[in-house]
Amino acid sequence: MKNYLLLSILCLAGILMSCTQKHTRYRIGVSQCSDDEWRHKMNNEIVREALFYDGVEVEIRTAKDNNRNQIADIKYFIDKKVDLLIVAPNEAAAITPVVEKAYRQGIPVVVIDRKILSDKYTAFVGADNYEIGKDVGQYILNRLHGKGKVLEITGLEGSTPAMERHKGLTDVLKEEPGIEITASVDGAWLQSVAGEKMDSVFQTNKNIDLVFAQNDRMAIGAYLSARQQQLEKEMLFVGIDALPGKEYGVEQIINGVLDATFIYPTGGDKVVQVAMDILEKRPYERDTKLSTALVDKTNARVMQLQTDHITEQDGKIERLNNQVNEYLSRYSAQTMFLYVCLIILLLFAALLAIIVRAYWTKNRMNMELSRQKKKLEEQRDQLISLSKQLEEATHAKLVFFTNVSHDFRTPLTLVADPVEQLLEDKALTPRQQSLLKVVHKNVHILLRLVNQILDFRKYENDKLELVRANMNLRVQLQEWSHSFQTLALKKHIHFVLEVNDDRADYLMAVDAEKMERVYFNLLSNAFKFTPENGTITVTLSTLTKEEGGRYARLVVADTGSGISVQHIRHIFDRFYQIDVNHAGSGIGLALAKAFVELHGGEITADSVEGKGTVFTVDIPMTVVEEPSADLVQEPRITQQTVVEELEDMETEEQIPDENKECILIIDDNADVRDYVKSLLKEEYTVIEAPDGRAGLKKAMKYVPDAIICDVMMPVMDGLECCRKLKTELQTSHIPVMLLTACSLDEQRIQGFECGADSYISKPFNSKLLLVRLRNLMDNHKRLKQFFGDKTTLSKESVSDVDKGFVDRFRELIEENLADSELSVEDLGSKMGLSRVQLYRKIKALTNYSPNELVRIARLKKAASLLASSEKTISEITYEVGFTSPSYFTKCYKEYFGESPTDFLKRRG
């Protein structure tokens, strides 16, 4: 309400202010070439004369004797669309094109003082410069009695007044051979330039009887130059303009500086009069000539008195005009203030009511906030209590997990040794050896993970000890790095180990096992996240820190995907994982940091997202006299096992055989892919993909008969892959079986919501996988025919149980077809199933969700009504349970390929 009142006041004030503003009828632009006293007098006359006309706005811009500036000024007035343009050209040739442009665009142009080299203008106002030049020539003849030497100082070269005055002068003097023009120099209308030119003339010729300058300023400049040479009394000085005022032409004649000058009228008032005649469509003279007269000592004082009186009258007129404007402004302000006061008085009562209402609202809100504060305090106490309970539960779980990890080691050890013995048996078939190698490798992976957990638990309890022994770190790094060369070749990664100082002694006391695990952890991450054709560089160097002591610095740098700023600060936190879709326990780097710190060293990480990551490890270079020996060490995984875990080579892709059904396996674990392929390759054509994105591309390319897809994968997880498979036209019909190590119902629900047709939990039974895959594909074939036939079943029948279930489901849909609120929950309760159970059952049998089947049934019913009845499309829409005709039309066209309207037109 307050905003509405304030807006109303502002709108009314704006209206009142707009009512007091003067209306502009005509906008006149004035482009002056120079900025001198003569132009100032003209500008004042133009502005003063414009005051006598109502609604005339005059804007004056001065080019200051610069052609570019004046061209820009005239273009400015053209763009502003002035009603009339007044131009005093600086130089005729340069200014003519832009004046013609304004004239062609329909803007009346009044040229003043100086002309252009074209007749494309509306009117000209100014003196006849040729006649002034002749008058000056006649004066020189009379003053010098027909004999003498004359120096002429012209105006700006290229301006029409300079050219015309010079021509008038020479036309008169050429008839008198006794008068000689010794030189004609360009003074650019400026006093300083004229003085410089006069100095130059004196260097070659000082025998001058009379100096004629085309304006008074240049004549004064010439006089000052002659005075410096003490020649001012030997020559006469004649100018043009005869401006009144201090140190101007008339006063300089009285002071004896100038011998004579000629009136060059400004005519600003006449310019405005001609302009108004043009704007108001009255008759006018196209060429208005202003008269001139000689001013010398005989009439200079009288003229000065007259001009002083005129100046005084002009000042009085200006003061009166200012007073009138001030009175009008006061009147407008007082009127507006009166109206505003009336509005404020009218709105005061409403504002008072709002204030009272706001006061009561504030009290009510304060009471509500007090109640909320009490609730928040109670919730805070509850959160504190829950946090303590969660901390205790986490600790208990960690203790339990540690104990279970201890229990894992014994059976894993008992499995690992028999497997190694079996691998030595020469009687094994190649397939048996392959399966045993997979078991052997993964048993060691489990042992490594268990050892990591136990070591981390020891570190947390301050029970992790170092077994130091002297070793050459450079030699060990070369040996450890050799294990990664094969992996680097397989992944096409440029892997380099650089030692900055080969002569340095890298003998130091470290726990070799723990340093090996630190190094292999860093390299494992580098190889995992570096794409093909990337680079991994390991650098070993020495340095001396300020706190003292030599350190070995190990730097592992890769050109992988990098880590964002958000994650890099938590990279060494325990159980922290950047991407849940990547395999890992989240304690590898935390344990590496613990091992480094036990050595008294430091590990840091620096990364730029999209460019790569750099890990830096600094270890003190100390040496022990007697290395520890005969110490019992826990079983550990070898470096080769770690490297084997990273190797993820794609098998050679097999082109699908048309005579065999094609199965696509999507899993980031190469061993799982190889194992599943070994189960399927006898009966099916098998193609593989290491992640969801690659799998989606291969599914689009080969269109397999079924897809087995892991859930937890990098790049794109199985859920997202399944969702996209079910939304693409080429792959939406393909049955998808998801593999997952998680048995939580929430993840299974997510999978089915993404369109999965079946789930198998890891570890799985091979026979179960084969049977479920076969049944899934057979059911898909039969039910596709069953639901594709609008009337009868295919010869290949569905099982009695499934047929009865589907028939009952179809009957329920038909019974409730008109119910637009029909939901999956309602159908499930009538079928005796939960929403999730119904969804999984229908999806497995039909490859459609319940909602999709309901929509298809409604569309088929609508098509039947369109073909057999005379009902309108809107009536049929609501009869079959759609809530919107537009949505019905959209669904109908997507399913049948044509809109209901097109069907009715085709039916005739």
Side-chain angles (χ1 to χ4, degrees), residues 660-843:
K660 283 186 177 183
E661 292 171 312
C662 178
I663 308 297
L664 171 62
I665 304 173
I666 307 174
D667 199 302
D668 61 324
N669 190 304
D671 291 335
V672 174
R673 294 201 308 271
D674 291 341
Y675 178 65
V676 176
K677 182 178 180 180
S678 68
L679 298 175
L680 302 177
K681 65 181 180 180
E682 297 297 331
E683 186 177 354
Y684 306 98
T685 298
V686 181
I687 54 179
E688 304 176 44
D691 57 68
R693 182 181 298 171
L696 184 61
K697 291 181 180 179
K698 290 191 176 182
M700 298 279 288
K701 179 178 180 181
Y702 296 112
V703 191
D705 295 287
I707 297 173
I708 300 174
C709 181
D710 188 23
V711 173
M712 305 292 286
M713 291 185 296
V715 185
M716 179 189 293
D717 61 32
L719 298 178
E720 181 65 19
C721 179
C722 182
R723 182 183 297 108
K724 292 192 175 182
L725 285 168
K726 293 301 182 180
T727 56
E728 292 292 340
L729 181 62
Q730 299 95 316
T731 59
S732 60
H733 66 285
I734 302 174
V736 178
M737 178 185 295
L738 293 180
L739 298 179
T740 179
C742 181
S743 59
L744 296 177
D745 289 340
E746 290 80 0
Q747 191 185 67
R748 291 175 176 268
I749 292 172
Q750 289 179 356
F752 286 115
E753 287 178 346
C754 293
D757 296 279
S758 182
Y759 246 112
I760 286 189
S761 299
K762 295 179 181 178
F764 54 83
N765 183 281
S766 60
K767 292 183 179 180
L768 174 64
L769 174 68
L770 294 172
V771 171
R772 185 167 293 182
L773 179 63
R774 183 73 268 166
N775 289 341
L776 180 65
M777 297 175 64
D778 291 343
N779 285 337
H780 179 71
K781 290 180 182 177
R782 293 195 297 268
L783 290 171
K784 181 179 179 183
Q785 295 173 345
F786 176 73
F787 280 94
D789 193 335
K790 297 181 180 179
T791 56
T792 61
L793 294 174
S794 166
K795 292 182 180 179
E796 189 176 9
S797 62
V798 187
S799 66
D800 293 338
V801 175
D802 289 340
K803 182 177 181 299
F805 178 85
V806 174
D807 288 341
R808 172 59 180 154
F809 186 75
R810 292 177 63 182
E811 289 173 3
L812 282 175
I813 293 176
E814 292 174 358
E815 290 172 3
N816 298 275
L817 203 60
D819 183 9
S820 61
E821 301 296 326
L822 182 64
S823 65
V824 179
E825 286 79 1
D826 297 334
L827 292 171
S829 62
K830 293 178 181 179
M831 295 288 291
L833 296 173
S834 67
R835 180 184 183 280
V836 175
Q837 289 173 328
L838 178 66
Y839 180 91
R840 293 172 63 185
K841 185 74 173 178
I842 294 297
K843 190 72 176 179

Side-chain angles (χ1 to χ4, degrees), residues 495-729:
F495 175 46
V496 181
L497 172 62
E498 298 178 350
V499 179
N500 287 348
D501 188 359
D502 290 336
R503 294 172 298 177
D505 183 11
Y506 287 96
L507 185 67
M508 51 196 297
V510 294
D511 189 320
E513 175 196 348
K514 292 179 176 55
M515 282 303 301
E516 179 187 15
R517 288 168 67 175
V518 170
Y519 184 62
F520 273 82
N521 186 284
L522 297 180
L523 274 187
S524 298
N525 286 329
F527 275 95
K528 184 186 297 184
F529 295 105
T530 300
E532 289 192 0
N533 301 315
T535 300
I536 298 176
T537 303
V538 178
T539 305
L540 180 63
S541 61
T542 61
L543 73 157
T544 303
K545 294 192 175 183
E546 293 180 358
E547 58 268 21
R550 293 178 66 240
Y551 282 75
R553 169 162 288 182
L554 176 66
V555 179
V556 179
D558 63 66
T559 59
S561 57
I563 306 171
S564 66
V565 177
Q566 175 186 358
H567 294 301
I568 194 69
R569 63 171 65 100
H570 302 293
I571 196 68
F572 295 110
D573 294 350
R574 61 178 184 175
F575 307 120
Y576 186 81
Q577 291 176 281
I578 297 174
D579 186 354
V580 297
N581 293 323
H582 284 102
S585 61
I587 64 173
L589 287 175
L591 196 59
K593 184 174 186 291
F595 289 164
V596 171
E597 290 177 348
L598 280 174
H599 283 83
E602 181 183 6
I603 182 171
T604 58
D606 187 20
S607 181
V608 177
E609 194 168 5
K611 293 187 177 181
T613 305
V614 178
F615 285 92
T616 303
V617 179
D618 292 341
I619 301 293
M621 299 182 68
T622 57
V623 180
V624 296
E625 294 183 359
E626 295 182 0
S628 300
D630 300 328
L631 293 175
V632 179
Q633 297 186 15
E634 295 179 348
R636 64 182 178 92
I637 188 67
T638 64
Q639 57 189 23
Q640 186 61 34
T641 307
V642 178
V643 177
E644 288 176 355
E645 181 187 358
L646 291 172
E647 295 180 357
D648 185 10
M649 289 295 296
E650 293 232 14
T651 58
E652 185 176 351
E653 189 166 292
Q654 182 179 0
I655 299 175
D657 185 355
E658 294 183 356
N659 298 322
K660 283 186 177 183
E661 292 171 312
C662 178
I663 308 297
L664 171 62
I665 304 173
I666 307 174
D667 199 302
D668 61 324
N669 190 304
D671 291 335
V672 174
R673 294 201 308 271
D674 291 341
Y675 178 65
V676 176
K677 182 178 180 180
S678 68
L679 298 175
L680 302 177
K681 65 181 180 180
E682 297 297 331
E683 186 177 354
Y684 306 98
T685 298
V686 181
I687 54 179
E688 304 176 44
D691 57 68
R693 182 181 298 171
L696 184 61
K697 291 181 180 179
K698 290 191 176 182
M700 298 279 288
K701 179 178 180 181
Y702 296 112
V703 191
D705 295 287
I707 297 173
I708 300 174
C709 181
D710 188 23
V711 173
M712 305 292 286
M713 291 185 296
V715 185
M716 179 189 293
D717 61 32
L719 298 178
E720 181 65 19
C721 179
C722 182
R723 182 183 297 108
K724 292 192 175 182
L725 285 168
K726 293 301 182 180
T727 56
E728 292 292 340
L729 181 62

Side-chain angles (χ1 to χ4, degrees), residues 231-516:
L231 299 173
E232 75 277 10
K233 298 187 182 297
E234 298 179 8
M235 57 189 71
L236 302 175
F237 297 89
V238 178
I240 295 176
D241 280 346
L243 288 177
K246 187 176 181 180
E247 296 183 358
Y248 293 158
V250 175
E251 185 180 272
Q252 297 295 357
I253 291 175
I254 296 173
N255 295 337
V257 174
L258 300 182
D259 185 67
T261 184
F262 287 81
I263 296 175
Y264 187 63
T266 52
D269 51 350
K270 189 62 178 178
V271 172
V272 175
Q273 292 170 13
V274 173
M276 293 309 299
D277 289 339
I278 295 171
L279 290 173
E280 296 183 349
K281 312 299 182 184
R282 294 194 295 267
Y284 63 92
E285 294 289 337
R286 190 169 190 270
D287 289 319
T288 301
K289 301 293 186 179
L290 303 178
S291 59
T292 184
L294 172 66
V295 179
D296 56 13
K297 291 185 178 181
T298 61
N299 60 357
R301 190 166 297 281
V302 174
M303 183 176 176
Q304 186 180 40
L305 292 174
Q306 291 177 344
T307 53
D308 289 344
H309 180 70
I310 292 172
T311 302
E312 183 180 354
Q313 295 300 320
D314 288 343
K316 290 180 179 179
I317 292 172
E318 187 69 23
R319 287 194 296 273
L320 287 173
N321 180 65
N322 292 336
Q323 288 180 354
V324 170
N325 290 336
E326 183 180 355
Y327 293 149
L328 289 174
S329 298
R330 288 181 183 178
Y331 173 76
S332 299
Q334 290 173 355
T335 302
M336 186 178 66
F337 180 73
L338 178 61
Y339 286 135
V340 171
C341 288
L342 290 175
I343 294 172
I344 292 174
L345 289 174
L346 291 174
L347 297 177
F348 181 74
L351 290 173
L352 184 61
I354 290 173
I355 292 172
V356 173
R357 182 180 178 184
Y359 175 75
W360 290 108
T361 303
K362 178 182 177 183
N363 288 340
R364 187 171 64 253
M365 291 181 66
N366 286 337
M367 294 177 64
E368 181 66 24
L369 288 173
S370 298
R371 289 194 294 269
Q372 291 293 335
K373 183 179 179 182
K374 291 181 180 179
K375 289 182 180 180
L376 290 174
E377 290 176 350
E378 294 175 358
Q379 292 176 358
R380 182 198 62 190
D381 295 339
Q382 292 176 358
L383 287 174
I384 293 174
S385 176
L386 288 173
S387 177
K388 292 181 179 179
Q389 295 175 11
L390 181 62
E391 185 177 353
E392 294 173 357
T394 302
H395 180 72
K397 288 180 181 179
L398 188 58
V399 171
F400 171 76
F401 194 40
T402 304
N403 295 334
V404 171
S405 298
H406 275 287
D407 294 337
F408 281 163
R409 292 182 60 192
T410 299
L412 285 174
T413 304
L414 294 175
V415 171
D417 186 64
V419 168
E420 289 178 356
Q421 294 182 28
L422 286 174
L423 282 172
E424 296 175 356
D425 188 352
K426 303 299 183 180
L428 293 177
T429 65
R431 173 175 171 77
Q432 290 172 336
Q433 283 188 343
S434 175
L435 293 176
L436 282 174
K437 286 181 180 179
V438 172
V439 173
H440 178 265
K441 182 171 121 179
N442 285 279
V443 165
H444 281 281
I445 292 174
L446 287 173
L447 277 172
R448 181 175 62 84
L449 294 175
V450 169
N451 288 337
Q452 279 189 351
I453 295 171
L454 294 176
D455 285 345
F456 192 77
R457 185 62 178 161
K458 289 179 181 178
Y459 174 73
E460 285 191 327
N461 294 330
D462 294 328
K463 294 181 180 179
L464 188 63
E465 297 179 355
L466 293 180
V467 181
R468 291 181 180 269
N470 293 333
M471 77 170 191
N472 191 314
L473 184 60
R474 178 180 60 188
V475 175
Q476 285 296 327
L477 286 180
Q478 291 172 344
E479 179 182 340
W480 294 336
S481 299
H482 181 71
S483 302
F484 286 88
Q485 294 298 333
T486 302
L487 178 60
L489 291 174
K490 289 180 179 179
K491 294 193 70 175
H492 305 289
I493 292 175
H494 183 57
F495 175 46
V496 181
L497 172 62
E498 298 178 350
V499 179
N500 287 348
D501 188 359
D502 290 336
R503 294 172 298 177
D505 183 11
Y506 287 96
L507 185 67
M508 51 196 297
V510 294
D511 189 320
E513 175 196 348
K514 292 179 176 55
M515 282 303 301
E516 179 187 15

Side-chain angles (χ1 to χ4, degrees), residues 47-242:
V47 172
R48 185 169 56 249
E49 185 67 20
L51 296 174
F52 294 100
Y53 298 93
D54 183 44
V56 176
E57 177 186 324
V58 177
E59 182 178 357
I60 301 174
R61 296 174 75 91
T62 301
K64 296 184 178 180
D65 303 302
N66 186 290
N67 291 330
R68 290 185 179 180
N69 291 347
Q70 188 164 32
I71 291 171
D73 291 343
I74 295 173
K75 288 182 177 179
Y76 163 79
F77 288 128
I78 293 174
D79 294 339
K80 199 174 180 181
K81 301 185 185 304
V82 294
D83 298 292
L84 184 136
L85 180 62
I86 299 173
V87 180
N90 187 50
E91 292 186 12
I95 306 303
T96 296
V98 72
V99 172
E100 290 180 339
K101 177 181 178 182
Y103 183 79
R104 286 195 302 269
Q105 293 190 11
I107 300 175
V109 179
V110 178
V111 179
I112 59 174
D113 176 28
R114 307 176 182 181
K115 293 184 178 179
I116 60 174
L117 302 180
S118 169
D119 61 351
K120 303 296 184 183
Y121 59 86
T122 309
F124 172 78
V125 178
D128 190 335
N129 286 288
Y130 177 76
E131 290 298 328
I132 291 177
K134 290 178 66 177
D135 291 344
V136 172
Q138 193 62 48
Y139 174 79
I140 292 173
L141 290 176
N142 297 334
R143 192 73 175 83
L144 296 180
H145 306 293
K147 184 177 181 181
K149 294 184 178 181
V150 177
L151 170 65
E152 180 187 19
I153 303 178
T154 67
L156 183 67
E157 182 182 0
S159 63
T160 56
M163 293 185 290
E164 292 174 354
R165 291 175 186 179
H166 173 74
K167 189 174 186 310
L169 175 69
T170 56
D171 286 350
V172 172
L173 296 183
K174 69 182 178 181
E175 299 177 359
E176 186 62 45
I179 301 298
E180 177 188 356
I181 299 179
T182 59
S184 180
V185 297
D186 184 356
W189 304 112
L190 301 175
Q191 178 176 318
S192 58
V193 176
E196 293 173 359
K197 293 297 177 72
M198 194 70 181
D199 292 340
S200 299
V201 171
F202 282 149
Q203 292 178 4
T204 59
N205 184 12
K206 297 183 180 181
N207 188 17
I208 299 172
D209 299 305
L210 185 142
V211 177
F212 164 55
Q214 290 189 356
N215 70 2
D216 292 341
R217 285 191 297 168
M218 294 191 295
I220 295 169
Y223 173 83
L224 294 176
S225 175
R227 190 170 66 181
Q228 289 180 354
Q229 300 289 334
Q230 297 181 355
L231 299 173
E232 75 277 10
K233 298 187 182 297
E234 298 179 8
M235 57 189 71
L236 302 175
F237 297 89
V238 178
I240 295 176
D241 280 346

